[in-house]
Amino acid sequence: MRSMVGGALLLCMSAIAALAADGKDIAANGTSGGALPCSSCHGEHGEGTPASGFPRLAGLNVQYIEHQLESFKNGTRKNDVMQPIVAALSDDERKTIANYYADMTAPKAEAEPAAPAAIAAGAKLAATGDWPKGMPGCGQCHGAAGLGVGATFPRLAGQSATYIENALQSWKAGDRKNDPMGLMASVASKLNDDQIKNVAAYYESLPVAAPARSPETKP
Amino acid sequence: MSGNPIKPSTWAAGVVALAAAGFIGHMLPSTGTAPEQPAASAQPAKQAKSESPTPKAVAPVQETAAPARKTEATSASYTPPAESDIPKGPFGDMVRLGEAIFHDTQHNAKGFVGNDLQCANCHIDRGRQPNSAPLGAAYLLYPAYRSKNGHVNTFQERLQGCFRFSMNGKAPPFNDKVLVALETYAYFLARGGPTGVAVEGHGYPKLKAPGQPADYDRGAKVYAQHCALCHGAGGEGQKSADGQTVFPPLWGPRSFNWGAGMGSINNAAGFIKANMPLGLGGTLSDQDAWDVATYMDSQERPQDPRFVDSVTETRKRFHDEPTSKYGLIVNGVLLGEKSPPSGTINTMD
């Protein structure tokens, strides 16, 4: 009796371990289907490689990551690097790896700091937008500190500036059409290249997590 | 960043031209939050108070190019000064404080706020955006008689009402620093505009009456398709990971109360048409805007702080008009009966 329970428990535990290992395994070694190891570009801890425009994945919302992987698969998000990789993932593998990265908490990757003037101009745009052109501030959807909201509005704080620039340019070019209600396409269409550079620099400069609440602001 | 011209916006097709209609729109016996002031259409535009503390010349009054508006008596427009025109010194500091309060009321006017909203949630671009009741254009119209309280209101008194109703809080006392700062900011934004004239883009647009009577069920569908993504399926809004409100609640205990101007369906329809979904203003049809405004204004929210005796009596005194659902039964609920209390000042933070 005891050995049966023990056996079942052991089986159960190894199944969980296998599931957990899957995400880690895919990230480190790729898949038998031919997907390249994610960590070679997105970093060992999902922190990304800012200078190359390989985005940070650690701590992004799980549904957001799944939505992006599905978008690469169905072509509503075009990218020569990511599309073949995602094509090689099964439905289950997509879910597994999305959960793996969503649960990660990696420190921010080192990046060359941008010019303070660019960061300041970006901060202004992020806070107050460019309403004469009908463009809201980025923070009105992504949160004042760029931490993101729910499953739909991704965190931008601490993300690679090169990646943010690429993302905005791909909306402008029509290579990314996966945003709900066309919200980001509309925003990107109103941005000029200087604004894109500045706002990307600003978001890269921010910490990836909410600062701990100071004691006197506790409820 | 340069000034934001207050001009007719391009989507104006379905919107009744505002200009002189500023008056007509307010003829409704309403909880109407706009001043009842005859648009001083025929008068030559007076320049704003001359003791402007900045040496810089005021922006020239821009004539609007809209050709279809010839029949409208007032088409005065002006460009509020740019942010960079805020002068140095104590006056400029007060302007800046006012802007900060307007943009982040939660943190900068603590103690007077009883919900999760900011002034700028309903007056877009820190009170600069035409067709979202811009602050400078409002300043030009005060003091004014208001039927809401039956006497001539100063601008400060108007601001007090915003705290009591829209912010579900309590009115700062006259000449409290919060009111002085907001008034100073509004005065700054009004620079160069004609006093006593309802300029282009003031208030919210008055939409033509809908083709079909506005409908709750159709409104629910519009809401699910165009609004819920941000404001939440239950109108509760959404916060970001640090607990800050990003998408403000549209109803429920943390939104504006039953006495607020946004609770009037005509105000809400105009605001929504011009400004929502965020960044896509002007894309909804007039019918959709009326329907979704009706849906939003048929939900429970904090009690009207003017409540007297009963919901029925309160409706009779303050809501007896087709643009308010207060005191009516919608989906089996008598609106106003189970309202959360009003004026629940935020104590946390």
Side-chain angles (χ1 to χ4, degrees), chain A residues 70-154:
Chain A
E70 279 157 23
S71 304
F72 286 125
K73 190 177 155 87
N74 66 27
T76 50
R77 184 171 174 182
K78 293 197 171 56
N79 181 264
D80 291 344
V81 180
M82 276 307 296
Q83 278 181 291
I85 293 173
V86 176
L89 294 175
S90 70
D91 292 359
D92 279 350
E93 284 166 342
R94 281 204 313 272
K95 274 200 168 28
T96 306
I97 196 73
N99 275 292
Y100 174 73
Y101 279 118
D103 288 345
M104 285 188 116
T105 51
K108 193 171 148 181
E110 293 280 331
E112 195 67 26
I119 293 176
K124 179 97 181 69
L125 186 72
T128 58
D130 192 354
W131 279 105
K133 285 201 253 167
M135 198 197 78
C138 320
Q140 291 187 272
C141 286
H142 292 278
L147 297 173
V149 186
T152 308
F153 302 91

Side-chain angles (χ1 to χ4, degrees), chain B residues 172-195:
Chain B
F174 283 119
N175 287 332
D176 185 278
K177 198 168 184 184
V178 166
L179 292 187
V180 173
L182 286 169
E183 186 181 23
T184 309
Y185 178 48
Y187 167 74
F188 169 77
L189 289 178
R191 211 178 78 196
T195 55

Side-chain angles (χ1 to χ4, degrees), chain B residues 178-227:
Chain B
V178 166
L179 292 187
V180 173
L182 286 169
E183 186 181 23
T184 309
Y185 178 48
Y187 167 74
F188 169 77
L189 289 178
R191 211 178 78 196
T195 55
V197 174
V199 296
E200 298 276 353
H202 89 104
Y204 297 115
K206 310 279 182 279
L207 303 190
K208 282 200 191 101
Q212 314 169 56
D215 182 73
Y216 179 96
D217 291 326
R218 277 200 312 266
K221 292 207 186 85
V222 175
Y223 186 81
Q225 200 185 339
H226 297 283
C227 322

